[in-house]
């Protein structure tokens, strides 16, 4: 029999169009879920700026610097006195730890081998969520962080030791403040640091007021 249309291709076509409809529905559902998970939190209004302090010990003078190719707003911290390796890295403000581990790779730069192989990225790092979409990041630490994800920390809590892991030339702390999904100018003790661009080298000095509060 060659008259009439064979039935199988039509049912295949029907099945295929049903599959396409199911696929479109799945893609639409995934897109809506994606918007809910990614976009909605970004629309949260930023809270007031926390009263951040330098992430280093009370009373110490540190160098805050940046250089061309760093990134706008990024700050590198070096002590002006004493050994840099192993210096305490402190929480700038209270919050919840959201990252505590390795960013990129650790590499092989240690106090015994300061010119060892460079790692990639931030090395041992910590990120703290301060609420109101504010967060701080601490990179290149010497050893695995002293805090864990989900841990609540208060201002001045030691989160790690200063080092040179990741893509780092010399022991220092790379530090950032973010509001929402954007880096912003760092503020310490209520004042802007003045480090806003990496177009030119910039070196400042500041005394840490990350001091225990009397209660
Ligand atoms: Zn840096």
């Amino acid at each position: 029999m060659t008259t009439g249309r064979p039935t199988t291709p039509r049912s295949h076509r029907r099945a295929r169009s049903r599959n396409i409809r199911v696929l479109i529905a799945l893609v639409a559902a995934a897109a809506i879920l994606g918007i809910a998970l990614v976009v909605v939190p970004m629309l949260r209004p930023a809270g007031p700026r926390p009263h951040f302090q330098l992430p280093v010990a009370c009373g110490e003078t540190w160098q805050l610097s940046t250089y061309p190719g760093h990134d706008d707003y990024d700050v590198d911290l070096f002590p002006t006195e004493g050994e840099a390796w192993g210096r305490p890295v402190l929480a700038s403000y209270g919050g919840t730890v959201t990252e505590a581990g390795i960013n990129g790779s650790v590499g092989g730069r240690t106090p015994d081998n300061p010119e060892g192989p460079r790692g990639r990225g931030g090395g041992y790092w910590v990120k703290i969520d301060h609420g109101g979409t504010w967060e701080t990041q601490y990179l290149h630490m010497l050893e695995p962080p002293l805090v864990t994800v989900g841990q609540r920390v208060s201002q001045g809590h030691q989160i790690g030791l200063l080092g040179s892991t990741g893509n780092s030339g010399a022991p220092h702390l790379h530090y950032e403040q973010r509001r929402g999904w954007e880096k912003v100018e760092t503020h310490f003790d209520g004042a802007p640091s003045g480090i806003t661009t990496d177009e030119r080298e910039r070196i400042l000095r500041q005394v840490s007021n990350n001091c225990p509060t009397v209660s």
Side-chain angles (χ1 to χ4, degrees), residues 57-114:
C58 171
E60 291 182 355
T61 301
W62 282 61
Q63 175 186 301
L64 285 63
S65 58
T66 194
Y67 57 87
H70 199 200
D71 199 7
D72 290 348
Y73 304 119
D74 288 1
V75 176
D76 281 350
L77 288 151
F78 298 84
T80 57
E81 287 176 20
E83 181 63 75
W85 292 104
R87 289 286 269 274
V89 176
L90 312 181
S92 270
Y93 191 77
T96 304
V97 176
T98 53
E99 296 278 357
I102 297 168
N103 174 290
S105 70
V106 170
R109 300 204 158 190
T110 63
D112 293 334
N113 190 16

Side-chain angles (χ1 to χ4, degrees), residues 6 75 133 161 175 206 209 212:
V75 176
T133 81
L161 287 75
Y175 175 86
Q206 203 164 330
N209 195 23

